[in-house]
Amino acid sequence: MLRRTLTNYHITAIAAALLAVMALALGSTAMFGAVMLAFLTVVGFGAAIPQLSLFGPFVCRGNVSRRCVALTFDDGPDARSTPALLDLLRERSVVAAFFCVGNRVATHPGLAARIVGEGHLLENHTYSHSKATNLFSVGRLQLELARTQTVIQQATGTAPLLYRPPMGLSNPRAFRVARSLGLTVVGWSARGLDTKITEPERIVARIERRLEPGAIILLHDGNIPAERLIVTVKMLLDRLRTLGYDVVRLDQLLA
């Protein structure tokens, strides 16, 4: 049982504790301070970088045996941009995964139903998408995720199986709550920083530099101008085809 629950965070904490005890035994405050600083630095990077999987099994890449990738979109559904994106994906016969904010699903249940009805995945991205999510207690986080599970199931008839934390930030509580709800925590391996970069060419170029078989691509449909979103996704799909990548649904990539 211990092997199943021991995470990279636990290993790091144990190593830091042993080194700290050694420093105190040697009477070296400098060594003790260096150990504590290194530990806090590792924890900080682990909270912000999903690929490190510090606190639990953060899934950031899929099956690498085929030249396939998955498209994922965060922060919707957004009535200003998601319909146009769905139209494009239907035209290109592409299916994606949408990590949706619960209160937006509650506001646009018909749009959420359309996402699922057109063959896409609709997954959990918390209820409020608060910037303070990583500071939430277990109880508050449980409420956020469980409430989102409920509104998505009510809107679409299907409960999510995947969870992506807002901004990819994580801690031990995130994995504990996700596990209690039967959710797999998902990150990404290639993202375009499309909430900060506005030029579609730069967004696609950034994704391309990180492409590899099994890549999970992160873009956003929430709070992104529809015209820019469509140009970006068209450009990306064309580039993926040129590079010989097939786009599959996220659950198929993870199978």
Side-chain angles (χ1 to χ4, degrees):
M1 182 65 70
L2 181 60
R3 289 181 180 178
R4 293 181 181 178
T5 58
L6 199 64
T7 65
N8 292 332
Y9 170 72
H10 293 126
I11 296 170
T12 302
I14 291 169
L18 291 174
L19 290 172
V21 169
M22 184 185 301
L24 292 174
L26 294 172
S28 175
T29 56
M31 180 180 174
F32 181 82
V35 169
M36 291 297 98
L37 179 60
F39 175 68
L40 292 174
T41 299
V42 170
V43 170
F45 279 116
I49 304 175
Q51 293 79 11
L52 295 179
S53 294
L54 183 65
F55 302 111
F58 224 134
V59 179
C60 296
R61 190 178 177 190
N63 189 334
V64 301
S65 63
R66 297 177 297 152
R67 199 170 176 80
C68 296
V69 299
L71 285 181
T72 69
F73 296 92
D74 282 10
D75 298 357
D78 189 329
R80 299 164 296 180
S81 56
T82 305
L85 174 60
L86 290 172
D87 290 343
L88 172 61
L89 295 176
R90 184 177 59 224
E91 291 169 8
R92 295 293 188 97
S93 298
V94 171
V95 286
F98 289 77
F99 286 87
C100 290
V101 181
N103 59 24
R104 290 194 158 198
V105 172
T107 302
H108 304 291
L111 189 50
R114 180 184 170 187
I115 291 172
V116 173
E118 295 189 2
H120 308 287
L121 297 179
L122 199 159
E123 306 297 342
N124 196 318
H125 199 42
T126 72
Y127 192 82
S128 62
H129 199 279
S130 169
K131 292 181 179 178
T133 300
N134 215 38
L135 302 177
F136 287 173
S137 66
V138 168
R140 173 71 185 277
L141 190 58
Q142 181 90 22
L143 180 63
E144 281 272 327
L145 269 63
R147 191 177 183 188
T148 304
Q149 292 290 101
T150 298
V151 296
I152 290 176
Q153 184 157 27
Q154 289 174 342
T156 69
T158 304
L161 297 175
L162 307 175
Y163 166 59
R164 176 176 282 160
M167 298 159 285
L169 297 176
S170 68
N171 56 53
R173 298 184 300 279
F175 287 91
R176 191 183 318 160
V177 172
R179 186 167 54 248
S180 73
L181 294 172
L183 294 166
T184 298
V185 184
V186 175
W188 61 83
S189 59
R191 65 172 175 171
L193 287 180
D194 54 329
T195 59
K196 301 183 189 306
I197 300 173
T198 59
E199 300 90 341
E201 297 84 358
R202 290 182 58 202
I203 295 169
V204 173
R206 192 178 194 281
I207 291 172
E208 184 178 344
R209 288 195 295 271
R210 291 157 178 80
L211 277 180
E212 59 185 353
I216 299 174
I217 299 171
L218 168 61
L219 289 167
H220 295 77
D221 61 317
N223 304 316
I224 302 294
E227 183 178 354
R228 187 209 307 168
L229 176 62
I230 297 308
V231 171
T232 301
V233 176
K234 281 183 178 179
M235 191 175 298
L236 176 61
L237 291 175
D238 290 343
R239 192 61 186 146
L240 290 172
R241 183 175 56 191
T242 299
L243 295 171
Y245 283 100
D246 292 325
V247 180
V248 300
R249 207 168 71 168
L250 181 58
D251 54 344
Q252 297 172 333
L253 190 74
L254 300 181

